[in-house]
Amino acid sequence: MDQHPSDILENVALPNTEATITVRVIKSFEYRTERNLVLHKLNLPVTMVGDLKNIAKEAIQSGPPWKPYRNAALDTLKVYTKAHGSKTSNLIINLDHDEWILDDDNKTLAEVGFENETEVSFFNSEAYQKYKLNPEICWDGPN
């Protein structure tokens, strides 16, 4: 029996050799300054965590919309959510699950659990640790 295309979940709709990944590039936690970089046709069993960092950095350095992000010292990746997974109430980053921080640049994306439609945050580790201690935002207007 054939499945209708709308019955196929996004995380298995494409093979893991042609995955689409969203990188949430975070410039400022306090001001919720972030921009999404959508990467298509990533080969998850071959692409390493360090490769993903380099791909994102190259995109930031080359694209005009990324000019405000070029001076950000981005050094850390952390899984934000996977397709059909629950999302955090924090709009900028998942503050829970520090075990989701990808600290081994030599592991493949498949080894660390990536699948099609995974979202990952890319940020400065020192700024993240500071924000975790006091997760306040600075841009709220008057009540």
Side-chain angles (χ1 to χ4, degrees):
M1 181 175 181
D2 291 334
Q3 284 187 319
H4 189 273
S6 64
D7 295 337
I8 300 172
L9 296 177
E10 287 298 316
N11 58 324
V12 295
L14 292 175
N16 67 356
T17 56
E18 294 186 24
T20 297
I21 301 297
T22 301
V23 180
R24 302 165 54 84
V25 181
I26 301 170
K27 181 176 179 183
S28 169
F29 293 100
E30 294 83 2
Y31 290 95
R32 288 189 181 164
T33 310
E34 67 94 14
R35 183 175 183 91
N36 290 337
L37 171 65
V38 180
L39 302 171
H40 300 281
K41 298 189 184 266
L42 280 180
N43 188 335
L44 302 181
V46 173
T47 306
M48 306 271 204
V49 170
D51 296 336
L52 181 58
K53 289 178 183 178
N54 289 333
I55 291 167
K57 286 178 181 179
E58 287 174 19
I60 292 165
Q61 292 304 315
S62 63
W66 291 99
K67 191 172 183 180
Y69 291 80
R70 290 185 185 148
N71 63 350
L74 305 168
D75 59 12
T76 305
L77 289 170
K78 180 180 181 183
V79 173
Y80 182 73
T81 189
K82 293 183 183 178
H84 311 291
S86 61
K87 291 192 176 185
T88 178
S89 61
N90 188 308
L91 298 176
I92 194 76
I93 193 165
N94 182 341
L95 290 173
D96 300 328
H97 302 290
D98 274 352
E99 68 274 12
W100 292 358
I101 291 176
L102 308 176
D103 53 7
D104 187 347
D105 285 355
N106 296 314
K107 286 194 174 182
T108 67
L109 298 180
E111 286 176 312
V112 296
F114 275 48
E115 53 192 29
N116 188 45
E117 297 294 330
T118 295
E119 290 185 36
V120 62
S121 300
F122 192 27
F123 54 90
N124 177 274
S125 180
E126 187 177 318
Y128 171 71
Q129 294 304 326
K130 182 180 171 188
Y131 181 69
K132 274 191 72 170
L133 293 174
N134 185 24
E136 299 291 322
I137 54 172
C138 298
W139 60 270
D140 278 346
N143 292 332

